[in-house]
Amino acid sequence: MSTKLDLIDTFVRKFTVIYSSSFTSTDGSATIYRIVRESDGAQGGFVQSSANLSNKGTCWIDSNAEVYDSALVTDAAVVTDNARVHGNALIAGNALVNTFSEIYGNAIVTAEAVVICSPGSFIKDNAKIYGSAVLSGAPAIYGNAEIYGTADVVSTVCAGDCKINEGVPGAQYLTGDFTRD
């Protein structure tokens, strides 16, 4: 049974979307708006609508990061710097997505995963990044690829049904049914 306090908490927003000032997403496909945190007035990143950032948890979109289309940031996840998340992508758990990372399609970054990428890198399609995986450099992760566990992936292409659960030395091109446990 809900108490009055539960009902009040349901309506307390942790951020405001500033609809009076619009911008265009980096790729030119969406109109986006700056967010401001209610608790301290801190300026955040950009969303297309309030549906892109959960009102629950400590998740946040910061700096010049953009989240749009049906993409969602939730739980304690943080998207920051110049990162872009769009399509139906999900950033959840305690994940950190920053620098020039681009996550889109139906890609998922969750758990304790960290994505710190250079311009031109991407995670797309049905790719999943989870566990304590770390991606850096200029990776291209797509198809049904999975990077998980303690994987530390630098500037690697991982496509198809590729699965990586530990470090990959240097830049590599891994496709198909490649599995590294």
Side-chain angles (χ1 to χ4, degrees), residues 17 19 32 36 63 69 76-77 93 99 110 139 141 143 148 152 157 166:
V17 179
Y19 288 108
I32 55 177
V36 174
S63 303
D69 297 332
T99 56
T110 190
I141 313 297
Y148 59 99
D152 187 353
V157 173
E166 63 180 46

Side-chain angles (χ1 to χ4, degrees), residues 137-160:
I141 313 297
Y142 57 99
N144 295 311
E146 292 184 31
I147 312 294
Y148 59 99
T150 58
D152 187 353
V153 177
V154 179
S155 300
T156 295
V157 173
C158 184

